[in-house]
Short mmCIF file of all heavy atoms in Angstrom, two decimals:
data_model
loop_
_atom_site.label_atom_id
_atom_site.label_comp_id
_atom_site.label_asym_id
_atom_site.label_seq_id
_atom_site.Cartn_x
_atom_site.Cartn_y
_atom_site.Cartn_z
N VAL A 638 19.77 93.02 -12.07
CA VAL A 638 19.15 92.21 -13.12
C VAL A 638 19.39 90.73 -12.85
O VAL A 638 18.49 89.89 -13.02
CB VAL A 638 19.71 92.61 -14.50
CG1 VAL A 638 19.30 91.59 -15.56
CG2 VAL A 638 19.19 93.99 -14.89
N TYR A 639 20.58 90.37 -12.39
CA TYR A 639 20.91 88.97 -12.13
C TYR A 639 19.98 88.34 -11.10
O TYR A 639 19.57 87.18 -11.22
CB TYR A 639 22.37 88.86 -11.65
CG TYR A 639 22.77 87.47 -11.25
CD1 TYR A 639 23.11 86.51 -12.22
CD2 TYR A 639 22.81 87.09 -9.90
CE1 TYR A 639 23.47 85.23 -11.84
CE2 TYR A 639 23.18 85.81 -9.52
CZ TYR A 639 23.51 84.89 -10.50
OH TYR A 639 23.86 83.62 -10.11
N PHE A 640 19.62 89.09 -10.07
CA PHE A 640 18.81 88.52 -8.98
C PHE A 640 17.31 88.58 -9.24
O PHE A 640 16.53 88.11 -8.42
CB PHE A 640 19.14 89.23 -7.66
CG PHE A 640 20.45 88.79 -7.07
CD1 PHE A 640 21.53 89.65 -7.06
CD2 PHE A 640 20.60 87.51 -6.56
CE1 PHE A 640 22.75 89.25 -6.53
CE2 PHE A 640 21.80 87.10 -6.03
CZ PHE A 640 22.89 87.97 -6.01
N LEU A 641 16.89 89.15 -10.38
CA LEU A 641 15.48 89.09 -10.73
C LEU A 641 15.09 87.66 -11.07
O LEU A 641 15.94 86.86 -11.49
CB LEU A 641 15.18 90.01 -11.91
CG LEU A 641 15.26 91.52 -11.64
CD1 LEU A 641 15.17 92.28 -12.96
CD2 LEU A 641 14.15 91.96 -10.70
N ILE A 642 13.81 87.35 -10.91
CA ILE A 642 13.32 86.00 -11.19
C ILE A 642 12.81 85.94 -12.62
O ILE A 642 11.96 86.73 -13.02
CB ILE A 642 12.20 85.62 -10.21
CG1 ILE A 642 12.74 85.53 -8.79
CG2 ILE A 642 11.55 84.30 -10.61
CD1 ILE A 642 11.69 85.25 -7.74
N GLY A 643 13.34 85.00 -13.40
CA GLY A 643 12.82 84.75 -14.74
C GLY A 643 13.52 85.54 -15.82
O GLY A 643 13.86 86.71 -15.66
N LEU A 644 13.72 84.88 -16.96
CA LEU A 644 14.41 85.50 -18.09
C LEU A 644 13.61 86.68 -18.63
O LEU A 644 14.18 87.70 -19.01
CB LEU A 644 14.62 84.45 -19.20
CG LEU A 644 15.32 84.93 -20.47
CD1 LEU A 644 16.73 85.41 -20.15
CD2 LEU A 644 15.37 83.80 -21.50
N ARG A 645 12.28 86.55 -18.65
CA ARG A 645 11.44 87.62 -19.17
C ARG A 645 11.66 88.91 -18.40
O ARG A 645 11.84 89.99 -18.98
CB ARG A 645 9.98 87.19 -19.14
CG ARG A 645 9.00 88.25 -19.66
CD ARG A 645 8.33 88.98 -18.50
NE ARG A 645 7.41 90.00 -18.94
CZ ARG A 645 6.99 91.01 -18.20
NH1 ARG A 645 7.42 91.15 -16.95
NH2 ARG A 645 6.16 91.90 -18.66
N ASN A 646 11.64 88.82 -17.07
CA ASN A 646 11.79 90.03 -16.26
C ASN A 646 13.20 90.62 -16.39
O ASN A 646 13.36 91.85 -16.41
CB ASN A 646 11.50 89.71 -14.80
CG ASN A 646 10.04 89.41 -14.56
OD1 ASN A 646 9.60 88.28 -14.78
ND2 ASN A 646 9.27 90.40 -14.15
N ARG A 647 14.20 89.78 -16.47
CA ARG A 647 15.55 90.29 -16.66
C ARG A 647 15.68 91.05 -17.97
O ARG A 647 16.25 92.13 -18.03
CB ARG A 647 16.55 89.13 -16.63
CG ARG A 647 16.71 88.48 -15.26
CD ARG A 647 17.57 87.24 -15.35
NE ARG A 647 17.60 86.55 -14.06
CZ ARG A 647 17.78 85.25 -13.90
NH1 ARG A 647 17.94 84.48 -14.97
NH2 ARG A 647 17.79 84.71 -12.70
N ALA A 648 15.11 90.49 -19.02
CA ALA A 648 15.18 91.14 -20.33
C ALA A 648 14.40 92.46 -20.34
O ALA A 648 14.86 93.47 -20.86
CB ALA A 648 14.64 90.20 -21.40
N VAL A 649 13.19 92.45 -19.75
CA VAL A 649 12.36 93.66 -19.74
C VAL A 649 13.02 94.77 -18.95
O VAL A 649 13.07 95.93 -19.40
CB VAL A 649 10.96 93.34 -19.16
CG1 VAL A 649 10.19 94.63 -18.86
CG2 VAL A 649 10.17 92.48 -20.14
N VAL A 650 13.53 94.44 -17.77
CA VAL A 650 14.16 95.47 -16.94
C VAL A 650 15.42 96.01 -17.60
O VAL A 650 15.65 97.22 -17.64
CB VAL A 650 14.47 94.91 -15.53
CG1 VAL A 650 15.33 95.89 -14.74
CG2 VAL A 650 13.16 94.62 -14.78
N ALA A 651 16.25 95.12 -18.15
CA ALA A 651 17.47 95.57 -18.82
C ALA A 651 17.13 96.48 -20.00
O ALA A 651 17.78 97.52 -20.19
CB ALA A 651 18.29 94.37 -19.27
N PHE A 652 16.13 96.10 -20.79
CA PHE A 652 15.75 96.94 -21.93
C PHE A 652 15.19 98.27 -21.47
O PHE A 652 15.48 99.32 -22.06
CB PHE A 652 14.72 96.21 -22.80
CG PHE A 652 14.27 97.02 -23.99
CD1 PHE A 652 15.05 97.12 -25.12
CD2 PHE A 652 13.05 97.70 -23.96
CE1 PHE A 652 14.65 97.88 -26.21
CE2 PHE A 652 12.63 98.46 -25.03
CZ PHE A 652 13.43 98.55 -26.16
#
Side-chain angles (χ1 to χ4, degrees):
V638 168
Y639 175 79
F640 284 110
L641 290 171
I642 294 176
L644 180 61
R645 179 259 179 200
N646 291 83
R647 291 173 185 151
V649 167
V650 171
F652 179 79

